[in-house]
Amino acid sequence: MRVTILKLLTVIMLISVCSCRNNNTRQGGLGFPIADSVPAGEAEKLSEEAVADIVQNIASPVEIAAILQSIEVPFSAEYLAPTQGADRLTTNFQKAVMLGIYGADLGYLNMYEKTGNSVDVLSTIKILADGLRVGQFFDFETIKRLSVSKSNLDSLLFLSVNSYNQIDRYLRDNNRGSISALMIAGVWIEGQYLATQVAMSYPDRILRDRVGEQKIILGDLLMLLRPYRESGEDYAALYNMMEEISNTYRDVRITYRLGEPETAEQDGRLVMIQHEESLVDMSNEQLAEVAAVSKEVRNNLIHGK
């Protein structure tokens, strides 16, 4: 299995494909819709298996934070999205994208045990979740207590995953699957921003390869967003921004080499597991271009442009 930047730890939820129909543009920038669903006939359908496969190939900011710690990269609050004004976001589009972005920041904070910052981000996540009418599935008090105590990271991660999985099931059951798609895009964008900015300042082969491998997962994300392009200027702008990032990967080369297979016991049976290693060919110039465009897209979304 490919290893990528984002995984189902802390803040990732399963995603399904719907779309937003109404359009509420702001002059001079990216507009945001109020509605968060479209009739089934207006969006392409992905099977549950296809969606699950895409999500399985997405890893979390916890993974990237673990890499940063292993190469002794110090924590920096400058990488975090500002929480000021989050309570004034008015549309579901804004709230969903920012919920994903703040979720990625929460994973980064938890790995570095930054209690003060994480409580602030948790409070913002709760506001956004309530605004999307899914706050009942977010166990804010327990997650806050575990975050403050720094006593059980595994339990903290489990509760976060469980909360978001419940949110996703509720959204999909109520024809609001586009909210999950927007959150996953937000998580990926923030994780991509964090990884690329650090990779520019702290050269490391593992981190650099993780950035390069995003060429593959970005193709999957574009597939999820593609049905929404005609829903309004907001979704078209989001899709186009993601395509801009994809274009920076045009000359990045990724090849795969099979490793030695191994046997393992699963459900009482011996199974053969085939390991695969990715080989990323990405120059310093290519990395710099990827980092610059990823930062621009991330900041545009944060500031609503």
Side-chain angles (χ1 to χ4, degrees):
M1 181 185 297
R2 295 189 299 272
V3 179
T4 50
I5 287 179
L6 303 169
K7 209 164 209 148
L8 288 183
L9 299 170
T10 53
V11 295
I12 288 287
M13 65 304 298
L14 294 174
I15 52 180
S16 59
V17 177
C18 293
S19 184
C20 295
R21 185 170 188 171
N22 293 343
N23 185 38
N24 179 25
T25 59
R26 295 191 295 180
Q27 187 173 0
L30 173 64
F32 298 94
I34 296 176
D36 52 24
S37 65
V38 293
E42 295 184 20
E44 295 176 1
K45 292 290 185 179
L46 290 179
S47 69
E48 292 289 332
E49 293 79 9
V51 173
D53 185 62
I54 290 173
V55 175
Q56 189 176 16
N57 283 320
I58 298 178
S60 98
V62 171
E63 179 183 341
I64 194 65
I67 294 174
L68 302 188
Q69 287 182 319
S70 70
I71 60 178
E72 299 182 348
V73 175
F75 170 83
S76 175
E78 293 182 359
Y79 294 131
L80 303 175
T83 56
Q84 296 83 358
D87 57 337
R88 295 192 293 273
L89 298 178
T90 58
T91 68
N92 288 345
F93 189 104
Q94 290 172 302
K95 294 171 186 176
V97 171
M98 292 308 299
L99 187 58
I101 287 175
Y102 290 129
D105 286 345
L106 182 63
Y108 175 58
L109 286 164
N110 284 337
M111 285 301 294
Y112 277 88
E113 298 185 341
K114 297 299 179 180
T115 302
N117 300 83
S118 63
V119 170
D120 181 41
V121 172
L122 273 171
S123 300
T124 303
I125 288 174
K126 182 63 164 60
I127 290 171
L128 295 178
D130 286 342
L132 291 168
R133 305 190 306 280
V134 293
Q136 67 271 29
F137 301 109
F138 192 79
D139 193 351
F140 174 74
E141 292 301 328
T142 302
I143 294 174
K144 177 181 176 181
R145 174 174 54 79
L146 289 172
S147 180
V148 171
S149 66
K150 304 180 184 179
S151 59
N152 195 329
L153 180 60
D154 289 341
S155 294
L156 177 62
L157 298 179
F158 172 79
L159 283 174
S160 299
V161 170
N162 187 56
S163 294
Y164 276 99
N165 283 337
Q166 289 187 67
I167 289 172
D168 173 71
R169 284 193 295 270
Y170 174 81
L171 292 173
R172 288 186 288 116
D173 290 345
N174 288 273
N175 297 318
R176 300 178 64 201
S178 61
I179 295 298
S180 286
L182 292 172
M183 286 191 290
I184 201 75
V187 173
W188 183 87
I189 288 166
E190 185 73 348
Q192 171 81 349
Y193 165 76
L194 174 62
T196 53
Q197 295 309 300
V198 173
M200 290 297 295
S201 300
Y202 296 87
D204 177 80
R205 190 72 226 178
I206 295 177
L207 181 59
R208 187 190 190 93
D209 285 352
R210 296 300 173 268
V211 171
E213 289 166 358
Q214 295 314 293
K215 177 177 183 175
I216 306 300
I217 194 61
L218 184 51
D220 292 337
L221 289 172
L222 284 169
M223 182 174 62
L224 290 175
L225 293 171
R226 189 169 294 122
Y228 316 145
R229 288 179 299 174
E230 306 302 325
S231 301
E233 294 180 7
D234 39 25
Y235 277 95
L238 175 61
Y239 183 86
N240 289 340
M241 286 191 289
M242 297 294 281
E243 267 201 328
E244 288 179 17
I245 300 177
S246 180
N247 289 338
T248 65
Y249 280 99
R250 58 191 175 276
D251 295 322
V252 174
R253 299 286 179 256
I254 302 176
T255 56
Y256 296 94
R257 179 172 59 198
L258 293 179
E260 290 294 327
E262 66 173 330
T263 56
E265 183 177 341
Q266 292 183 2
D267 300 324
R269 297 182 304 167
L270 284 178
V271 297
M272 186 72 70
I273 299 175
Q274 179 65 62
H275 294 286
E276 185 179 75
E277 178 186 5
S278 63
L279 304 174
V280 178
D281 182 9
M282 180 170 58
S283 68
N284 292 335
E285 292 75 16
Q286 291 166 344
L287 174 60
E289 185 182 9
V290 169
V293 176
S294 298
K295 179 179 180 179
E296 180 181 6
V297 169
R298 181 258 196 183
N299 289 340
N300 283 344
L301 286 172
I302 286 176
H303 300 297
K305 296 181 180 179

